[in-house]
């Protein structure tokens, strides 16, 4: 099993360009999350999904959109990239109803916006 | 609101010595506490968690953590550090009363450097 995978691993964008980050999981988990990791700030939640067809905003949703059309995939979109969105992006999954369980993370996508 | 603090940006320890990485938390109810480790250019990996019961929790790679309710702390420990333990460590907290989607708050991370 691949677990949680993220595509692409690296990307460089120019300001104003758009892109989509893909998170795929084969763990059959209901919950999926997108975080960004910035130095000295830990992980901050961008958006999350509690099931296919549902999404919700996290702590820092501005400038991002998400979709969960299939249970196994969670897409994060940047419509018009800004330098402030330079970060490492992590996808994570979790088991529904098991509030004490850990989250499972993908390997990350390093995004640079010039 | 829930929060977690890791007061040290970096911890240096000699190989073979015991190590401690500190974490304190704030939640309105009884917390669920987690430690994750991140190796360079990798995602976070789960190490251990405290849910209830015994205050000393054992996890992967010889790590353990002690839950102290009166001090609202959950420090990560290992009796004998290895160079391969060098990584970034994150403490995280979940308040069971915070509602449905398993909101987890992460600390800012502590870089552990084990010196040969």
């Amino acid at each position: 099993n691949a677990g949680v995978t993220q595509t692409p691993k690296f990307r460089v964008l120019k300001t104003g360009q758009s892109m989509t980050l893909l998170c795929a999981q084969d763990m059959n988990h209901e919950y999926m999350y997108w975080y960004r990791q910035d130095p000295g700030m830990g992980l901050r939640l961008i958006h999350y999904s509690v099931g296919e067809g549902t999404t919700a905003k996290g702590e820092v949703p501005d400038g991002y959109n998400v979709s969960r059309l299939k249970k196994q995939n969670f897409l994060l979109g940047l419509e018009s990239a800004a330098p402030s969105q330079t970060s490492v992006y992590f996808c994570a999954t979790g088991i529904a109803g098991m509030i004490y369980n850990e989250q499972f993370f993908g390997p990350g996508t390093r995004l640079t916006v010039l | 609101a829930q929060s977690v603090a890791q007061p040290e940006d970096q911890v240096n320890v000699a190989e073979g010595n015991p190590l401690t990485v500190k974490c304190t938390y704030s939640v309105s109810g009884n917390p669920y506490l987690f430690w994750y480790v991140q190796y360079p250019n990798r995602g976070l990996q789960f190490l251990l968690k405290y849910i209830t019961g015994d205050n000393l929790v054992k996890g992967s790679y010889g790590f353990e953590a002690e839950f102290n309710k009166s001090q609202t702390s959950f420090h990560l420990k290992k009796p004998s550090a290895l160079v391969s333990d060098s990584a970034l460590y994150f403490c995280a907290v979940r308040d069971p009363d915070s509602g449905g989607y398993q909101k987890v708050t992460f600390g800012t991370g502590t870089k552990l450097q084990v010196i040969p």
Side-chain angles (χ1 to χ4, degrees):
Chain A
N1 289 349
V4 182
T5 59
Q6 292 182 233
T7 308
K9 289 185 171 54
F10 305 94
R11 186 72 186 267
V12 178
L13 289 179
K14 295 181 179 178
T15 297
Q17 288 184 319
S18 63
M19 78 163 294
T20 300
L21 283 66
L22 170 64
C23 176
Q25 55 116 347
D26 61 4
M27 306 170 81
N28 203 34
H29 288 171
E30 290 290 338
Y31 292 178
M32 296 187 76
Y33 311 84
W34 276 108
Y35 293 93
R36 60 177 289 172
Q37 182 182 29
D38 301 293
M41 302 190 75
L43 274 73
R44 293 181 291 169
L45 183 65
I46 304 171
H47 285 280
Y48 65 95
S49 168
V50 299
E52 181 178 320
T54 71
T55 63
K57 295 180 180 180
E59 303 171 66
V60 289
D62 294 343
Y64 305 95
N65 57 76
V66 288
S67 65
R68 183 109 180 261
L69 299 179
K70 295 182 179 180
K71 183 178 182 179
Q72 63 267 34
N73 295 337
F74 194 29
L75 279 64
L76 178 70
L78 287 72
E79 291 186 346
S80 180
S84 61
Q85 295 177 304
T86 294
S87 187
V88 181
Y89 292 86
F90 288 100
C91 175
T93 68
I95 301 171
M98 307 287 277
I99 61 173
Y100 47 80
N101 268 10
E102 64 271 23
Q103 295 182 1
F104 299 82
F105 284 82
T109 294
R110 186 174 295 274
L111 176 65
T112 301
V113 183
L114 302 176
Chain B
Q2 58 192 47
S3 65
V4 62
Q6 294 182 243
E8 302 155 317
D9 291 335
Q10 182 159 335
V11 170
N12 297 322
V13 62
E15 187 176 24
N17 281 4
L19 69 88
T20 299
V21 182
K22 296 180 180 178
C23 172
T24 58
Y25 66 89
S26 174
V27 298
S28 56
N30 293 315
Y32 295 154
L33 293 156
F34 305 83
W35 276 102
Y36 290 84
V37 60
Q38 184 182 28
Y39 298 103
N41 301 314
R42 303 284 295 276
L44 277 69
Q45 297 177 32
F46 168 74
L47 271 181
L48 50 79
K49 63 186 175 186
Y50 172 81
I51 304 302
T52 187
D54 194 346
N55 290 342
L56 186 64
V57 178
K58 294 189 183 297
S60 306
Y61 312 121
F63 283 93
E64 57 190 26
E66 186 168 11
F67 172 65
N68 187 317
K69 187 171 184 177
S70 63
Q71 297 185 2
T72 62
S73 67
F74 188 55
H75 300 332
L76 181 70
K77 300 181 180 184
K78 188 174 183 181
S80 178
L82 300 172
V83 172
S84 58
D85 293 329
S86 298
L88 190 58
Y89 291 81
F90 288 94
C91 182
V93 65
R94 185 177 190 275
D95 182 346
D97 299 329
S98 67
Y101 72 92
Q102 301 179 2
K103 174 181 167 61
V104 174
T105 299
F106 289 86
T108 53
T110 298
K111 182 178 180 181
L112 174 66
Q113 191 78 28
V114 181
I115 303 163

